[in-house]
Every structure is written in structure tokens, then in C-alpha cells.
Amino acid sequence: MSGKVAAVGSLFIRENAASVAFIKIKYGQPNERLITVPFQELLERQEELKSIALAISEDSEQKVRKYLFNFKRAPKINAAKKEFLSREQIINFMSRAPEALSELIEQDPKCKKPENRQLAMEIWKSWTPIRQLLSNVRGWNIKEADSKRDLGWGALPKKENGVDHVE
């Protein structure tokens, strides 16, 4: 034998939002997910991934080497370090934002400063997906009226003859 690994299939690499899956493909057989690794662990486990790929074929190992080389230089490495706000941080931010905005509005009531205009635009840009995530049936499906009713803030719409009317 020449020391070469006999090919027992091929390797498919599939990226998800925060991880990458390594899948063994062999003609006539179901695909086999070998391992799924979060982006932040990918570089730490590169030797393990190379040896898993080598068990399939030398071509698969080269494919993993090339993927890891490109991963190190891609923006994904920064995405792997992404940290998300906790529930408490989101609540704290959302409750403090109106006060901060009020202060900025008091200092620039007609929004003449370009940085304040940019801030307003960015808030609307961010608010649109937030609102959709909260109120859409594909999200949490919690409406503003639900919050007003359950938390007791604002005025609830009046119902007349089974129809909502907002004042």
C-alpha cells in the first residue's frame, strides 16, 4: 500500500447562522452528519476536523484545510465573537432610551444637528424589525395592546359594537 486513504465518500461543509456542519456524502446512502461546530470553537478544533475529514478521503482533508484557511480571513471570525444582550440588558436599555432621547430633543428640538437626524433614522431602522419580531405571528405574536393591558400602561383602545376605536 502507498499510504493513501481509500475514498469512502466525500465531504460537504454547510454553514448555519452560528456554526458549521461537516456532512459525509456517499452515493446511494443517506447523508451522515459527522460533526457540527460553533464558529467560536472552529479554530480550536481544526486538527480534529482535519482527522475526521482524512478518514473520508485526502480530498476531504484538503477541503477542510481550504475552508479553515478561508475562515480565518473571513468576516465570520468576527461574527463568531458576537455577544448578544441579555433579557435584563434589553429591558434596561429600552427603559433608559426614552429619557436619553428626551434630553437630546431638549438640546436640539428641531433636529438640526446631523448626528441627531442620523440617530433618529437609525432608531427607525432598528425599530422596524424589532416591532415585526414582537408582533408578527412568526415571532412572539405579542401586540402593543397586549402589553398595555398586561402591564397597565397607556390607554387601551375602546370597543364599541365589537370594533376597536383608538382615540
Side-chain angles (χ1 to χ4, degrees):
M1 293 193 85
S2 64
K4 289 192 174 190
V5 177
V8 292
S10 61
L11 184 71
F12 178 69
I13 301 173
R14 185 169 91 198
E15 289 184 346
N16 300 308
S19 62
V20 60
F22 295 85
I23 301 164
K24 179 179 173 182
I25 300 173
K26 190 170 181 185
Y27 181 75
Q29 294 182 4
N31 295 345
E32 178 186 352
R33 182 182 303 262
L34 300 172
I35 190 169
T36 300
V37 181
F39 284 147
Q40 60 266 27
E41 295 177 20
L42 195 61
L43 296 178
E44 298 162 7
R45 298 177 69 180
Q46 58 187 325
E47 292 307 315
E48 175 187 3
L49 296 171
K50 290 175 192 173
S51 63
I52 289 171
L54 186 58
I56 297 173
S57 70
E58 286 181 358
D59 288 342
S60 295
E61 185 205 16
Q62 289 303 318
K63 191 174 191 175
V64 168
R65 285 181 184 275
K66 183 178 178 182
Y67 176 80
L68 291 169
F69 178 80
N70 290 331
F71 181 85
K72 290 176 189 177
R73 283 145 186 81
K76 285 186 251 24
I77 194 84
N78 295 327
K81 297 175 186 174
K82 187 184 290 186
E83 293 183 24
F84 295 99
L85 297 174
S86 68
R87 286 171 184 81
E88 293 79 21
Q89 289 171 319
I90 293 170
I91 290 169
N92 186 32
F93 167 77
M94 295 301 284
S95 63
R96 294 178 66 197
E99 184 180 345
L101 285 171
S102 293
E103 183 66 29
L104 290 171
I105 290 169
E106 192 174 298
Q107 295 170 9
D108 182 18
K110 300 292 185 188
C111 198
K112 302 247 183 209
K113 295 181 181 177
E115 60 271 20
N116 288 341
R117 182 169 174 75
Q118 181 65 32
L119 174 62
M121 299 300 176
E122 293 292 336
I123 290 171
W124 279 116
K125 179 182 171 187
S126 297
W127 182 247
T128 301
I130 290 170
R131 189 172 189 90
Q132 290 172 348
L133 289 167
L134 292 177
S135 65
N136 194 308
V137 291
R138 292 184 183 188
W140 282 348
N141 199 24
I142 304 294
K143 309 288 188 241
E144 183 178 358
D146 299 331
S147 177
K148 286 180 178 180
R149 182 190 63 240
D150 293 354
L151 298 178
W153 66 277
L156 291 173
K158 293 183 181 178
K159 285 191 176 187
E160 291 178 18
N161 299 329
V163 179
D164 286 341
H165 294 282
V166 179
E167 293 180 3

